[in-house]
Amino acid sequence: MLKKKQVVQVLLNKKRKLLNLKITRVPPTNKPSTDLMMRAKGLPSKYKAPKGFYIHGNVGTGKTMLMDMFYSHIENRRKKRVHFNAFMLDIHKRIHRLKLSLPKRKLGKMTVYDPIAPVAWEISQEACLLCFDEFQVTDIADAMILKQLFENLFRSGVVVVATSNRPPDELYKNGLQRATFVPFIHVLKEHCHTVCLDSGMDYRKRNMPAAGVLYYLTSEPGAERAVNNLFEELAQTQNDFTRPRVLMVLGREVHLSRTCGSIADCTFEELCARPLWASDYLEIARVFDTVFIRNIPRLSLRTKDQARRLTTLIDNFYDQKVRVVVLAEAPLECLFEQGPLVGEEQRDRMMLDDLGLTQDAGDRLSLFTGEEEIFSFQRTISRLTEMQTEQYWRQGDRNSKT
């Protein structure tokens, strides 16, 4: 386990190598995509890219801060810093776009085409350094392609620096078809130094000047009135009027009932009770710099789907420095109850039957145990704590940056 100063020194040494990192570029071409796949095989064997870093530890220990410091000092312009959720969404979009560009299959002819290698090559031409915040795997669609994707990225000379709350061996823990995922862990460890950064302290919870009252309890007298007044006060700074908005996300409509300029006044039901996911929250974060989240109920394993969406929402808002005002049923530390999983037995039984799994197998899968939600919600609490500070509120003021 390393201390912050040691990690900083190691990253600075890595910086010196990355300053001179060059990757052989192949000029764009309109030739058939099979040529693209051949070029995706990577660099000459004599080229060896430096190893990256996989930095893991408990919430609030400074992993993201260190990675951002490192990223800001890399002078090579072919670099990209992105939340891992957003990166995988982009990967799936590229794969979809590439498949649409293929010629239609001729009747009676079977054509096997693998889009992952050319997508990896495309990314390697855009960046030789990828910095991922919050490297986590919860989606089986992501889990099944990561090995092939990252093998091609590493073969093309891409260096990866990532932060995570989980050590590599616990990624996609108890996930569906995890045995197929495990080889990716070996690829990751082969190309990245693993560093544990765990001071035992959540620095987000240290005493910092608050930006005012931004977290209200529904049981408090006058709480809703105070939230209404805060919205009206912020709305007066906008060159707009209060109105509903419709956002287009991947061809779908996301309706928000009350907005004003760069401010969205939403309910928990709007954001987390509907089937929204990372792509929707990223679009909301792009359009709005301040989001009110009203009527968050006390969450539990019985409502783990909503808890998972809230975690994803806060992850994306935090990464994009979106400011939040919360009206909730319970104090932040008590917002998620880790009681027994009840009330969903029939739904889970049907899912087990559909997947062809026994009850014993289901008892070990995080999909049914809620283990991932319990683990991830600690990060949500930590981030929401920091999001109430004056420093974070200033960083999220997009008007001051224009």
Side-chain angles (χ1 to χ4, degrees):
M1 188 180 299
L2 298 180
K3 295 182 178 179
K4 277 189 181 179
K5 287 184 178 179
Q6 293 172 300
V7 176
V8 169
Q9 187 58 52
V10 171
L11 288 173
L12 287 175
N13 291 337
K14 183 65 62 178
K15 169 198 165 185
R16 296 186 186 102
K17 293 183 180 181
L18 286 167
L19 285 176
N20 298 316
L21 182 61
K22 294 181 180 179
I23 296 180
T24 303
R25 295 178 66 90
V26 181
T29 178
N30 293 322
K31 291 184 179 181
S33 54
T34 52
D35 289 346
L36 188 61
M37 288 186 65
M38 294 301 292
R39 293 198 303 274
K41 290 184 177 179
L43 301 170
S45 57
K46 64 180 180 180
Y47 179 85
K48 186 171 177 63
K51 272 191 171 186
F53 281 93
Y54 182 94
I55 307 170
H56 67 92
N58 284 337
V59 298
T61 55
K63 302 179 296 296
T64 300
M65 180 193 72
L66 286 174
M67 185 184 72
D68 287 345
M69 287 171 57
F70 166 70
Y71 182 84
S72 67
H73 283 80
I74 296 297
E75 297 171 15
N76 192 321
R77 293 184 179 180
R78 294 184 54 236
K79 61 180 181 177
K80 182 179 291 187
R81 190 267 192 211
V82 63
H83 192 279
F84 192 67
N85 266 344
F87 176 75
M88 292 309 299
L89 283 169
D90 181 53
I91 291 295
H92 289 295
K93 286 180 186 176
R94 292 177 190 243
I95 290 173
H96 180 67
R97 186 176 66 241
L98 196 56
K99 286 181 176 178
L100 291 178
S101 70
L102 295 174
K104 292 184 178 180
R105 287 189 306 176
K106 293 182 179 179
L107 191 63
K109 287 190 176 182
M110 287 294 293
T111 303
V112 178
Y113 178 73
D114 173 20
I116 296 177
V119 164
W121 176 86
E122 185 179 292
I123 292 170
S124 74
Q125 299 306 292
E126 299 168 2
C128 61
L129 171 65
L130 291 175
C131 288
F132 296 125
D133 187 33
E134 215 54 63
F135 198 111
Q136 59 176 340
V137 186
T138 57
D139 191 311
I140 187 172
D142 294 343
M144 294 302 102
I145 67 171
L146 282 178
K147 177 177 181 290
Q148 188 179 357
L149 173 65
F150 275 79
E151 277 182 335
N152 280 281
L153 287 173
F154 290 135
R155 194 179 296 131
S156 298
V158 174
V159 176
V160 169
V161 176
T163 69
S164 179
N165 294 134
R166 289 194 182 276
D169 291 324
E170 291 187 12
L171 286 172
Y172 198 50
K173 186 179 180 181
N174 297 327
L176 285 169
Q177 300 182 30
R178 190 173 188 267
T180 309
F181 171 81
V182 168
F184 163 69
I185 297 174
H186 302 309
V187 172
L188 185 65
K189 292 163 82 171
E190 180 184 350
H191 291 88
C192 293
H193 299 286
T194 302
V195 178
C196 178
L197 181 64
D198 203 345
S199 62
M201 176 181 179
D202 185 344
Y203 289 98
R204 296 193 188 108
K205 294 184 179 180
R206 69 192 188 280
N207 290 329
M208 294 180 67
V213 181
L214 301 174
Y215 191 100
Y216 296 84
L217 296 177
T218 54
S219 59
E220 293 176 337
E224 188 165 1
R225 188 185 315 114
V227 172
N228 291 339
N229 291 341
L230 183 54
F231 175 82
E232 294 299 333
E233 178 184 337
L234 293 174
Q236 289 177 10
T237 67
Q238 303 293 308
N239 186 24
D240 197 1
F241 56 92
T242 301
R243 60 192 172 94
R245 290 276 291 276
V246 178
L247 308 181
M248 294 300 299
V249 183
L250 302 177
R252 295 179 295 101
E253 293 184 349
V254 176
H255 294 261
L256 299 179
S257 59
R258 193 166 187 248
T259 73
C260 182
S262 63
I263 304 168
D265 188 3
C266 307
T267 64
F268 177 83
E269 185 173 352
E270 274 185 295
L271 296 175
C272 301
R274 295 189 293 173
L276 303 183
W277 197 233
S279 56
D280 305 299
Y281 301 141
L282 279 170
E283 180 63 12
I284 293 172
R286 185 189 69 80
V287 176
F288 303 102
D289 65 7
T290 306
V291 177
F292 286 66
I293 311 174
R294 297 176 183 256
N295 304 324
I296 301 180
R298 193 184 297 268
L299 299 165
S300 67
L301 291 177
R302 183 181 298 181
T303 54
K304 62 179 185 290
D305 289 345
Q306 291 94 320
R308 188 185 303 121
R309 292 190 191 107
L310 180 61
T311 293
T312 303
L313 174 127
I314 295 301
D315 278 348
N316 284 282
F317 281 9
Y318 180 86
D319 190 60
Q320 300 298 317
K321 291 292 181 285
V322 174
R323 308 183 298 185
V324 297
V325 178
V326 173
L327 179 63
E329 182 182 339
L332 183 53
E333 295 288 347
C334 305
L335 196 55
F336 188 87
E337 295 179 326
Q338 300 180 20
L341 180 60
V342 295
E344 295 190 344
E345 291 86 353
Q346 183 175 358
R347 188 197 72 169
D348 290 351
R349 181 67 260 172
M350 292 174 63
M351 290 183 68
L352 285 170
D353 290 342
D354 290 341
L355 294 167
L357 299 172
T358 64
Q359 183 64 53
D360 289 342
D363 289 342
R364 295 191 296 272
L365 292 175
S366 59
L367 175 66
F368 301 106
T369 64
E371 178 184 355
E372 187 63 36
E373 287 74 22
I374 295 171
F375 182 86
S376 298
F377 209 82
Q378 296 306 310
R379 182 174 70 251
T380 303
I381 292 173
S382 176
R383 290 186 162 178
L384 276 171
T385 300
E386 183 182 345
M387 292 165 87
Q388 297 175 61
T389 65
E390 182 181 351
Q391 179 182 354
Y392 181 91
W393 195 262
R394 284 200 311 267
Q395 290 173 340
D397 186 358
R398 296 178 190 171
N399 291 329
S400 66
K401 300 174 185 177
T402 56

